[in-house]
Structure formats: C-alpha cells, structure tokens
Amino acid sequence: MKQIIKKWEKFFVINLAMEIFTFFMTISLGLVNHLDGIWHSAFSLAGNWERGEGRWVWPYIDKMRFGLAAEPLTSVVSIVLFIVGNIFLLELFEIGPECIKAYLISFLFLMTTSVGVWLTFKYAAISFALPYLFSVVALFIVKKGINVSKYSDAVTIVAAAICIVLLMGQYQAFINCTCMIFLAQLMIMFYRECEKKEVISFSLKSAISIVLGGTIYLAGIPIMNSIYGSKMTDYNGSGSLSISYMISRIPARFKTTFYYFKEYFFGQMYRWNRLQDHYIVIGLFMVLVLSFCVIGTVEIFKKNKVYGILFVICMLLMPVAANVVLFVAPDAFLSIQMICGLAFYFPIMMLIAFEIQEKGFNKKWAGILLTICCIVMIYGNYIATQIDQEACKEGRTGTVTLAGEVLDTLLELGYADNGGKVCFIGMPVGNERFMYSEHFYLANNLMQFGDWGSTGSSHKQTWEGIYREYFGYYVQACDSDEFYAILDRDDVKAMPMFPRRGSIANIDGITVVKISNKY
C-alpha cells in the first residue's frame, strides 16, 4: 500500500491542485445551481424521493456523512474521489504517473463542465463522485482479480457486482462509464494480441458482474420501497425501471444513444467546450482519434482478422455505451448531470489512441500530435468551466439583489405582520434591472442562475431556497395549483414588473409579486 501511495502521490497532488484551481469559484463562493442545488441546505438526508428514483443506496451514504454537505468539505472530498477513480483507471490500463499522457487523460475528464455541474449539487456531489469511482473499480477488480485460492473467480465477480450495485444505487447514469471502460479494455486487449482465453475470461467475468450487479440493484428497489413505504416516481423515467419494459424499448433507445452523441459533440444542448461552436475543430479532433483507431484496426487485421473485426465493433459501440443508461431507464431525458458517459468519451478514446501511438509508426510525431490535441481540448474545457461558474455567480448576484429588494418592499408593506403565501411571477433574468454579460447564455442552462425556466413546484422550491440560503428568512411560496391559477389571470398578466408601482398585489389572500414577463 505504501508503494502505491508513493507511486501516485505526486499525480494526486497535481490533479487536486488543478481541480481546485479550475473550480475555485464554486468552492470559495459556495456556488449552487438554481434548481436542486438551491433546494437543499448544507444538511440534507436522502429519503423516499431518492428511493422512488431507484437510488436506494443513496440514503445510506448520506447517513454515513451525517447529511453534511458544507463547503469546502463536500467539493474537496468529491474531487478526491474523482481523482482516485482516475488513478484506478490508469492502473487498469497500465499507464504510470510518470507519463504525460496520464495527466492529459485525467485532466480531459476532471476539467469538464460535467464535473463543475456535479459540484453545484452540494447535497449530491459525493453521490456523483462515488459512482464514478465504483464504475472504474468494478472492472479494475475484474481485470486484476482477487486471489483467494480456488474461489478467486467467484469472489472477483461478486466484489465487482457489489460495486455495480453501489454505483447504480446512487446514480444509475455512471453505468455508462463502466460499459465504456469494458469496451476500451477489450480494444486494447485485441491490439495487444492477448490470448483468446484471457479475452474470453475478462469478457465473461465483466458481463456476469454487470448483469449480477444490475439484477441485485433492480431487486433491491421494491424491497426498499416496501420497507420504507416509498413508491416509484415518474421523474425522468424512474417509473419505467422493469426488465420487460427495458427489453421492449431497446430498438428505439439504440437510435436515441446516437442522437445524444451527435447533440453533445455537434449541437448546442450541452455546453462542454468553448470550441464546440467551431464544428470543424471538434470534427478534426474526432477524425484524429478515429484515425488512430483505423491505424490500429489495420495493424490488428494483419495478424488476427477476428480481433480486427471485434476491435471495430467495440469502437462503433462506444457512443452506445456512452448513453447505455437510456436502456436502463427507457423514458429518461439526458439532463446535463446524466452525461457522464459523453464527458468520458474523449478521455477514454484518447487513452486508446495513445496505446496505438506507443506501438505504431512514427511514434514521436504521433505522440506530439495527440498531446497538442489534448492540450487544446483541455483548454477549451477549462474556458467552458469558467463561463459556467461566472454565469452562476453573476446570475446569483442579480437574483439575490432582486430578491432582497422584494423582501424589503414586502416588509414595508406589512408582510411581517400578515405573513401568508407569496406568488412570484416570472424569472429574475427577465427583469429589466437584472444585469448579465454577453457570455451568460454560453453557459449550461443549469448554471444560468435566475433563468430556471420552470414553474409550479420547482418555482416554489427555488424561491424558498433563495430566501432560506441568502437571507435566513422564511418566505412561503404558493403551491403549483395556486401558481397556475394566478398566472392565467388577465389582471396579473397586465401587472408591471417589480419595482414599479403595482408590481405587488394581494389576490385571493396571496401576495403576488410580478418579477418579470418571462415565465
């Protein structure tokens, strides 16, 4: 153990420093996103809602940390878990910390807007980081094995399956990373001309571990719901978690995996890299990576045609593996917090490209080309993370300033004496006094604080969270039915925006505040 720690301590420290440097704003300012991030305080214990989403392991993880989600502890611990996951990944693929490519591959994943968004879910950041760690450790165990005499294979499979259960029981989407690592490991085994017996053994043990872990996970859902009196929710496809339904939806979701792959790299749905608007740049990166895979395919075909065909199949399946959670939850929409597989695509493909470069022709110049590509990509990733954080910071500043003025006005009008519910109409970003930079809408929508774009219960929880977290004051926002009833009234639509005269009115016993005309 001491040797392993000594081997990776420099790598760990440098990665930790880079992550804190990258997400310093989030950590130092305690930035949270304007939905789930602001809904939960620094003390949050998962319960029946999470169990109803199939995340029945999550409550136990929260209890182990006593529900504490304070800064800087939460972000630093989460970052540490991500880094440890990368160390296991590099160990799995036999890449040492003395190689520059180890740092490049690690930074390609760690310095992404995905990690930045996960850190803005303070109450859940650790439950994003742990599944990533387990997603890597599961296949690390399979590849390295657990040596306990004649029961080694059985113990190895069970241990890996437990990792799959712990992964999916916290956040199912990280099964994407496990499947991508599985395909990448096979591709490298084909390229290294590993013995057929070794390839079959790894494939079978991996498949059995994933299926066994997935089965235990699915079996645990009704058991936990029965014990705690919870039930499955309809949130983002959680209610469709059944084996029969998953199988029936395979053809449709297979096509959807490629749709999200295209949208991530060549669309505007997710903001992951500042260079993504220049499609030719991303296209060149993609061509470069795939070119190395083609070179690898040609080299493999010269020696083993079967391995060459399987290598190509694994490469083509990588976009599917990046979104394999869509088969687990067939009705799910891939929100930004679920795109771990897509964020993992370039790091894992670069890992394969470096492997081919190490043994391919013109080794020196190929290595320089891949290194430059990684550095440019990391730079684009870094700028995107800063835009996200700046948007969150300036949006929070504008929202909190506006909310403070509203509270002052309400108190002047006697709200402290009368109490009652408040109905906030419109998003802060639509208010004429809300200032934001030209880069605000280059951020991911979850980070555009003040433009949460939802109504009803989400609207209620966000406003209540803002007053709780930034003012320490309890303001009871109206519920969904009341909100929609008031929103449809003609006199409310005609109200001017705050702070103009007439922007606050009492309607049916509810204090209505017209924030803006953007709903």
Side-chain angles (χ1 to χ4, degrees):
M1 180 61 74
K2 288 183 178 180
Q3 289 180 334
I4 294 176
I5 293 174
K6 186 172 181 61
K7 175 183 178 182
W8 289 99
E9 62 181 357
K10 180 181 176 182
F11 177 89
F12 176 85
V13 170
I14 292 175
N15 273 261
L16 181 60
M18 285 298 293
E19 279 295 88
I20 292 175
F21 173 75
T22 301
F23 298 111
F24 185 76
M25 267 191 285
T26 295
I27 298 170
S28 62
L29 299 177
L31 296 180
V32 295
N33 63 71
H34 53 209
L35 293 180
D36 302 58
I38 194 67
W39 297 351
H40 299 267
S41 67
F43 292 95
S44 178
L45 284 169
N48 282 349
W49 174 257
E50 287 75 16
R51 294 187 187 97
E53 293 175 340
R55 300 166 190 168
W56 53 268
V57 175
W58 191 338
Y60 297 106
I61 300 299
D62 276 7
K63 287 180 181 178
M64 289 175 63
R65 59 190 181 92
F66 300 98
L68 181 63
E71 288 288 23
L73 179 66
T74 297
S75 289
V76 172
V77 170
S78 300
I79 288 170
V80 166
L81 292 171
F82 281 122
I83 295 171
V84 173
N86 278 358
I87 290 173
F88 273 102
L89 178 72
L90 295 169
E91 277 283 348
L92 171 61
F93 287 95
E94 299 173 3
I95 299 175
E98 68 282 353
C99 304
I100 184 66
K101 64 182 177 182
Y103 291 90
L104 295 174
I105 291 167
S106 184
F107 292 164
L108 273 173
F109 181 67
L110 292 178
M111 296 170 67
T112 58
T113 55
S114 293
V115 173
V117 167
W118 293 328
L119 293 180
T120 65
F121 290 87
K122 300 305 178 190
Y123 78 105
I126 290 175
S127 289
F128 284 119
L130 272 175
Y132 174 67
L133 175 60
F134 288 128
S135 73
V136 182
V137 171
L139 289 188
F140 178 86
I141 291 172
V142 171
K143 185 66 169 62
K144 301 300 181 180
I146 298 177
N147 189 8
V148 285
S149 67
K150 62 180 180 179
Y151 299 110
S152 295
D153 287 346
V155 173
T156 295
I157 289 170
V158 170
I162 290 172
C163 288
I164 299 298
V165 174
L166 294 173
L167 177 171
M168 299 191 70
Q170 290 181 83
Y171 208 78
Q172 301 95 324
F174 283 90
I175 193 65
N176 298 347
C177 296
T178 302
C179 294
M180 294 173 76
I181 294 168
F182 171 67
L183 292 178
Q185 183 62 46
L186 284 179
M187 291 173 73
I188 286 180
M189 292 176 81
F190 296 144
Y191 187 73
R192 291 176 180 175
E193 299 178 76
C194 292
E195 293 290 333
K196 184 167 69 172
K197 181 180 178 182
E198 183 182 352
V199 174
I200 293 174
S201 174
F202 173 76
S203 301
L204 284 176
K205 285 190 285 188
S206 297
I208 294 171
S209 298
I210 292 172
V211 171
L212 178 60
T215 302
I216 295 172
Y217 159 71
L218 288 173
I221 293 174
I223 293 173
M224 291 300 167
N225 285 341
S226 175
I227 292 173
Y228 292 96
S230 55
K231 60 181 181 179
M232 295 302 293
T233 69
D234 292 326
Y235 174 74
N236 211 8
S238 297
S240 59
L241 288 173
S242 71
I243 295 177
S244 60
Y245 189 64
M246 291 177 197
I247 294 173
S248 69
R249 294 283 289 161
I250 286 177
R253 299 314 266 174
F254 190 87
K255 181 180 178 181
T256 306
T257 59
F258 287 97
Y259 165 77
Y260 280 113
F261 184 84
K262 176 183 71 69
E263 279 298 314
Y264 183 83
F265 290 107
F266 301 104
Q268 300 297 314
M269 188 181 297
Y270 313 103
R271 306 299 302 184
W272 63 280
N273 190 291
R274 188 60 189 91
L275 299 173
Q276 71 185 94
D277 294 334
H278 306 286
Y279 300 129
I280 189 171
V281 176
I282 303 301
L284 286 173
F285 288 155
M286 197 74 73
V287 168
L288 176 65
V289 171
L290 295 180
S291 295
F292 275 89
C293 289
V294 171
I295 293 169
T297 302
V298 172
E299 292 180 4
I300 297 170
F301 257 101
K302 291 178 182 177
K303 303 168 185 176
N304 189 321
K305 288 183 172 56
V306 174
Y307 274 13
I309 293 171
L310 292 174
F311 183 91
V312 172
I313 291 173
C314 288
M315 179 180 68
L316 295 175
L317 285 176
M318 198 64 81
V320 178
N323 295 311
V324 78
V325 72
L326 292 172
F327 298 103
V328 179
D331 295 329
F333 163 79
L334 280 189
S335 55
I336 183 145
Q337 58 266 40
M338 295 175 65
I339 60 171
C340 49
L342 292 168
F344 198 51
Y345 180 78
F346 264 125
I348 206 74
M349 292 304 290
M350 277 295 178
L351 188 151
I352 296 168
F354 272 116
E355 173 70 20
I356 295 169
Q357 171 264 327
E358 281 290 325
K359 299 177 175 60
F361 68 92
N362 212 341
K363 177 178 174 181
K364 178 181 177 181
W365 289 106
I368 292 173
L369 185 61
L370 284 176
T371 299
I372 292 173
C373 176
C374 286
I375 291 172
V376 172
M377 187 70 72
I378 290 168
Y379 176 71
N381 283 355
Y382 173 79
I383 297 299
T385 63
Q386 301 311 298
I387 290 173
D388 262 13
Q389 292 175 91
E390 283 290 348
C392 188
K393 182 188 73 172
E394 69 180 30
R396 185 183 74 175
T397 299
T399 299
V400 171
T401 300
L402 189 60
E405 292 180 0
V406 169
L407 181 60
D408 289 341
T409 304
L410 288 177
L411 294 176
E412 288 176 8
L413 294 175
Y415 176 73
D417 297 323
N418 300 328
K421 296 181 179 179
V422 180
C423 181
F424 298 93
I425 301 294
M427 306 295 163
V429 74
N431 189 280
E432 57 193 2
R433 298 178 66 176
F434 186 99
M435 295 295 294
Y436 56 88
S437 69
E438 60 184 10
H439 287 84
F440 185 79
Y441 282 107
L442 290 176
N444 283 290
N445 54 18
L446 202 61
M447 302 294 280
Q448 294 163 8
F449 203 109
D451 191 13
W452 41 84
S454 57
T455 53
S457 60
S458 296
H459 209 58
K460 170 183 171 66
Q461 293 182 82
T462 298
W463 279 109
E464 289 182 350
I466 288 168
Y467 281 108
R468 180 192 66 242
E469 292 300 308
Y470 303 122
F471 297 93
Y473 196 90
Y474 176 66
V475 172
Q476 183 183 10
C478 64
D479 58 35
S480 297
D481 292 339
E482 293 166 331
F483 176 86
Y484 288 120
I486 292 173
L487 187 65
D488 288 337
R489 291 174 60 116
D490 291 335
D491 54 345
V492 171
K493 293 177 182 178
M495 288 173 64
M497 287 188 290
F498 184 85
R500 299 190 180 191
R501 188 184 300 275
S503 60
I504 298 178
N506 189 291
I507 298 177
D508 297 332
I510 296 176
T511 302
V512 178
V513 182
K514 184 70 170 290
I515 300 295
S516 75
N517 290 313
K518 184 172 184 178
Y519 307 131

